[in-house]
Amino acid sequence: MALFPSLRSLIASLCFCFLAFSLSAFGRPATFLQDFQVTWSDSHIRQIDGGRAIQLILDQNSGCGFASKHKYLFGRVSMKIKLIPGDSAGTVTAFYMNSDTDAVRDELDFEFLGNRTGQPYTVQTNIYAQGKGNREQRVNLWFDPAADFHTYTILWNHHHIVFYVDEVPIRVYKNNEARGVPYPKLQPMGVFSTLWEADDWATRGGLEKINWSKAPFFSYYKDFDIEGCAVPGPANCASSATNWWEGTAYQALNALENRRYRWVRINHMIYDYCTDKSRYPVAPPECLAGF
């Protein structure tokens, strides 16, 4: 029996609403074009497996980049990435969130700094809050990130920002606004990634240059997962305490995460701006407030 037009419309509307809710409120590995678009050098980004994975290419002509179609205010973003193998010195593969505002920028950075064959990959994290950055920390990865895919995650809520590598926290930035420390909470941020040449600083402070005879360089991405409050979207989403990423379990590291975090900082951290007296004779306030 044919449905009345109004009933068909109602069913279609309910189906659409459920789909929209499921895509915004629950994480799922998405295809590239569901959530992202190429922003730089379309010829250097290749979709694989029907868009469930992509290949980024760097050669002497160009690097490349992509960005999310929406911005988000709080939530969690993760991707599985396989980095450039072999001699990757002078290259940077970046995965980050950015408010894309010129005057007062908020930004949360993963930057994977290439190295000579056999030397460890370094991941640099940085945080810009209300226009102030220069909060670099560097960690040598304890595995070969070019041998297989590994999961890199940014959790951002009202309490803290946590950078994870395969569920191991490597960086925590707490909300210490009560102590006068800026914290990104007002500007939605997009999700970005780039592969580019940075041999003026990336490897050993720029001493190691790109070996272009090894080009082209490739990095790979899959399992794109964004869970957060999309902007534009419901006005009360970002302030809702019912969002899972604002729950008690996500307001601080648990005991296991704390042990893993200490292990990383003791065994694999090679640079921390908080202890760099040449740059900061007086430690920045967030360092004194504690991580």
Side-chain angles (χ1 to χ4, degrees):
M1 183 177 68
L3 293 172
F4 290 104
S6 58
L7 184 55
R8 283 202 304 268
S9 299
L10 176 61
I11 291 174
S13 176
L14 289 172
C15 289
F16 174 80
C17 288
F18 175 77
L19 176 63
F21 174 78
S22 64
L23 292 182
S24 62
F26 299 102
R28 80 286 180 227
T31 61
F32 175 70
L33 290 179
Q34 277 181 266
D35 287 338
F36 296 95
Q37 57 194 357
V38 176
T39 55
W40 172 30
S41 191
D42 184 79
S43 64
H44 284 59
I45 295 182
R46 185 168 70 92
Q47 295 188 56
I48 303 170
D49 191 23
R52 285 183 284 273
I54 58 170
Q55 177 192 62
L56 273 61
I57 303 168
L58 168 65
D59 58 27
Q60 285 184 282
N61 294 316
S62 184
C64 56
F66 64 89
S68 59
K69 295 178 179 178
H70 302 285
K71 291 184 177 181
Y72 301 86
L73 190 56
F74 302 111
R76 184 183 69 181
V77 178
S78 70
M79 298 181 189
K80 290 184 178 178
I81 305 174
K82 183 162 67 171
L83 296 173
I84 299 167
D87 189 346
S88 58
T91 68
V92 174
T93 304
F95 161 42
Y96 60 102
M97 300 186 72
N98 190 314
S99 61
D100 202 23
T101 48
D102 294 330
V104 183
R105 174 170 45 137
D106 290 335
E107 184 170 315
L108 313 174
D109 293 339
F110 267 119
E111 293 179 306
F112 304 95
L113 312 182
N115 214 333
R116 293 298 180 206
T117 302
Q119 297 300 309
Y121 248 99
T122 298
V123 56
Q124 174 172 282
T125 59
N126 198 0
I127 294 168
Y128 283 78
Q130 299 174 22
K132 173 68 171 64
N134 299 320
R135 296 182 173 96
E136 299 91 348
Q137 291 183 359
R138 292 185 178 184
V139 169
N140 279 345
L141 293 174
W142 50 96
F143 54 86
D144 180 359
D148 203 350
F149 285 93
H150 292 267
T151 303
Y152 303 94
T153 303
I154 300 172
L155 173 71
W156 171 33
N157 61 31
H158 284 81
H159 304 275
H160 60 183
I161 297 160
V162 187
F163 294 79
Y164 290 92
V165 174
D166 289 335
E167 299 186 359
V168 175
I170 67 165
R171 174 84 183 261
V172 178
Y173 184 83
K174 293 181 180 178
N175 185 342
N176 277 307
E177 284 187 304
R179 302 185 183 187
V181 178
Y183 189 80
K185 68 174 187 180
L186 299 177
Q187 299 188 103
M189 291 191 262
V191 183
F192 297 81
S193 187
T194 53
L195 172 58
W196 52 294
E197 170 195 356
D199 68 1
D200 58 334
W201 67 271
T203 308
R204 295 184 59 217
L207 295 177
E208 303 285 352
K209 303 300 184 181
I210 288 183
N211 183 353
W212 287 113
S213 70
K214 303 293 185 181
F217 301 100
F218 304 107
S219 59
Y220 296 86
Y221 291 67
K222 67 177 184 178
D223 291 1
F224 312 98
D225 188 358
I226 302 176
E227 305 173 65
C229 292
V231 178
N236 62 346
C237 179
S239 61
S240 174
T242 62
N243 293 323
W244 70 259
W245 53 84
E246 300 287 356
T248 303
Y250 301 95
Q251 295 178 11
L253 300 186
N254 61 36
L256 176 59
E257 288 176 328
N258 266 311
R259 288 196 296 272
R260 289 173 169 173
Y261 184 44
R262 286 197 299 271
W263 174 79
V264 168
R265 293 182 66 84
I266 292 170
N267 296 289
H268 298 283
M269 177 170 281
I270 61 170
Y271 177 79
D272 181 1
Y273 75 106
C274 283
T275 59
D276 189 341
K277 298 297 185 183
S278 64
R279 290 178 67 194
Y280 298 104
V282 178
E286 66 270 18
C287 301
L288 300 175
F291 293 97

